Amino acid sequence: MPLKSSSSKKTRSMLARFQDMDPGRRIETTGGALQENISPTAQNLGDDPIFSVGGDLAFNWGYTDNGCRIALTEGYLSEEHSNDDNTHGFGNDFHVDPKNGTFLHEAWGHEISNIQDCSWNDHLEQHNCGDVKLQGTDHGPNLQSGP
């Protein structure tokens, strides 16, 4: 069943929502989670990009040369012209053209990024965190696998 868009109230397919990359940056749901079921034995939830934050679904969240396919609004959503590498969720890329999905450098793609402060430090010309914390092994060669 297609979701109701919070911005246009039209019914659109998931495919149409994911293809809407220019301009992207859309909040696609309202009211938060409809249902939540977390196992009592689940581990490492404190920085999980879905279970440690709440809110509505944000799709195609592009900012400077970075992008996140799915994030939650109660996590951090970077300003459009901010190069802070701080929007974390599913389908993440650093150094990409987020409006057309073109990789500028394939070494920085990663599927699931934990909630963390990885902001860019202009003075030092580097990230404030040494290693971006990821889940799993689906990522570019410049990043390390996580739990």
Side-chain angles (χ1 to χ4, degrees):
M1 173 188 294
L3 298 172
K4 287 275 189 170
S5 172
S6 62
S7 58
S8 67
K9 300 299 181 199
K10 293 180 185 176
T11 300
R12 296 190 314 148
S13 71
M14 291 297 286
L15 176 61
R17 291 167 195 279
F18 285 125
Q19 289 175 335
D20 183 12
M21 295 169 60
D22 188 3
R25 298 178 59 86
R26 295 176 61 103
I27 308 298
E28 292 288 352
T29 62
T30 58
L34 297 176
Q35 180 177 346
E36 185 175 274
N37 186 6
I38 301 172
S39 171
T41 60
Q43 299 177 11
N44 303 316
L45 297 177
D47 58 1
D48 186 272
I50 301 300
F51 296 114
S52 70
V53 298
D56 297 314
L57 293 173
F59 284 4
N60 299 324
W61 205 260
Y63 53 108
T64 59
D65 65 344
N66 305 297
C68 181
R69 186 63 83 173
I70 303 172
L72 289 173
T73 58
E74 290 180 16
Y76 182 82
L77 297 178
S78 301
E79 296 292 328
E80 185 173 7
H81 300 290
S82 174
N83 188 22
D84 62 9
D85 296 349
N86 259 340
T87 297
H88 303 288
F90 293 166
N92 304 274
D93 281 300
F94 299 149
H95 210 53
V96 67
D97 182 338
K99 292 189 177 185
N100 66 26
T102 303
F103 288 107
L104 302 175
H105 196 293
E106 293 187 15
W108 296 103
H110 53 289
E111 283 306 311
I112 304 175
S113 178
N114 293 353
I115 300 298
Q116 61 205 289
D117 181 11
C118 292
S119 56
W120 180 260
N121 184 320
D122 286 327
H123 179 69
L124 298 175
E125 295 188 6
Q126 67 184 19
H127 291 280
N128 285 334
C129 64
D131 298 311
V132 176
K133 296 176 186 136
L134 307 175
Q135 292 184 31
T137 60
D138 190 1
H139 56 77
N142 285 2
L143 301 168
Q144 297 179 9
S145 299

